Amino acid sequence: MAGQRTRHRAAVGALGAIALTAGAITTGLTLPTASAATWPTPSGSPQAVTKTISVSGTTDGGMKRYYGSGDLGSGGQDEGQDPLFELADGATLKNVILGSPAADGVHCKGGCTLQNVWWEDVGEDAATFRGTGKTYNVIGGGARKASDKVFQFNGGGTLNISGFAVQDFGKLVRSCGNCSSQYKRTINVSDTEVTAPGKAIGGINTNYGDSLTLRGITIIGDSSKKIVPCQKYIGNNTGKEPTENGSGPDGTYCKYSSSDITYK
């Protein structure tokens, strides 16, 4: 769906102070609130990834930077790329920085947790969630320079995104609009900072019963309010581009009010 794009490479700034906030209502955890300026400094030497790294259990990257090389180093936006990391059902990946190129980021084969994972320059997608009836948690971390989607939700179940920072992006999260197998998907985004430019925080399919709940969202640099908080679509399982079906809070599919979003 997305074509090739010019890759941007970014130097990482120093790690700033992280303020603590009450955790997402969806996870019950106490989480750090990421901000546009809070980008961690990688530790050690960068690690080239030429073959997808399989993760089961918990893997702590120690804030090392990983980047694609060889077959994972094209830096393109082509669909169907392999990821740098592939997580088994129930796995946790934490304290990792994905540099450029990042291929297709992270794939979760089932339920998973991504904790304090940072994408300096999103490749095809930052992370893709698969499986059915699973729970997926993104806790802290951040992503920038995503010409299309940051998080691609292909499976069924519930995706919780808390304490995240995103900037220069297309959509923060998209419920797959044209996957061959479709499901009802529940998405909760809380305590998250969104920095323009960007197109939408979330995209959901009303005909499959999806919902997007927004709580404690801060949008920076979007005085014209061009970033759509919740975009609705009519999804399909035929591979065609889905059609838009309105936007804005409705209490059923797009669950938020004006008090849930602060503009700075």
Side-chain angles (χ1 to χ4, degrees):
M1 289 182 288
Q4 295 282 348
R5 70 185 179 99
T6 302
R7 302 299 298 169
H8 299 277
R9 299 178 183 272
V12 182
L15 178 62
I18 300 178
L20 296 179
T21 186
I25 56 174
T26 55
T27 63
L29 300 175
T30 299
L31 308 174
T33 299
S35 70
T38 306
W39 290 87
T41 300
S43 64
S45 300
Q47 180 172 328
V49 180
T50 58
K51 182 180 180 181
T52 299
I53 299 171
S54 297
V55 176
S56 59
T58 298
T59 292
D60 188 331
M63 300 312 295
K64 179 181 288 188
R65 177 192 281 137
Y66 295 80
Y67 65 94
S69 182
D71 291 341
L72 296 177
S74 70
Q77 275 277 308
D78 295 336
E79 295 288 338
Q81 292 185 69
D82 289 330
L84 297 188
F85 294 90
E86 184 175 69
L87 276 59
D89 187 16
T92 295
L93 179 67
K94 63 181 182 179
N95 300 326
V96 166
I97 298 172
L98 278 70
S100 176
D104 200 26
V106 178
H107 285 184
C108 288
K109 298 174 69 175
C112 68
T113 296
L114 304 179
Q115 184 175 351
N116 198 34
V117 177
W118 299 81
W119 290 263
E120 294 177 345
D121 190 341
V122 173
E124 182 186 340
D125 299 312
T128 302
F129 304 99
R130 298 173 175 172
T132 59
K134 301 293 183 177
T135 299
Y136 318 84
N137 295 310
V138 177
I139 303 170
R144 58 190 176 191
K145 297 183 179 175
S147 66
D148 192 8
K149 306 169 298 294
V150 176
F151 297 122
Q152 176 72 29
F153 196 0
N154 289 350
T158 300
L159 170 59
N160 302 311
I161 302 170
S162 304
F164 198 74
V166 63
Q167 56 187 110
D168 190 4
F169 65 103
K171 295 180 181 69
L172 172 58
V173 57
R174 177 67 169 103
S175 173
C176 185
N178 54 13
C179 285
S180 58
S181 295
Q182 291 285 27
Y183 311 93
K184 177 181 178 179
R185 304 178 179 103
T186 300
I187 303 171
N188 302 299
V189 182
S190 62
D191 300 329
T192 289
E193 187 173 89
V194 176
T195 301
K199 294 180 180 178
I201 295 175
I204 56 174
N205 306 312
T206 58
N207 56 316
Y208 294 121
D210 293 352
S211 66
L212 170 64
T213 299
L214 301 176
R215 297 287 185 269
I217 307 299
T218 300
I219 299 180
I220 297 174
D222 185 30
S223 58
S224 299
K225 298 184 178 181
K226 293 182 179 180
I227 297 174
V228 178
C230 183
Q231 179 65 57
K232 292 176 274 192
Y233 294 89
I234 299 296
N236 64 76
N237 60 0
T238 63
K240 295 181 179 180
E241 285 298 313
T243 57
E244 293 185 352
N245 189 33
S247 62
D250 55 27
T252 301
Y253 306 108
C254 295
K255 300 180 179 180
Y256 68 95
S257 64
S258 59
S259 63
D260 293 309
I261 300 177
T262 301
Y263 289 87
K264 291 185 177 180

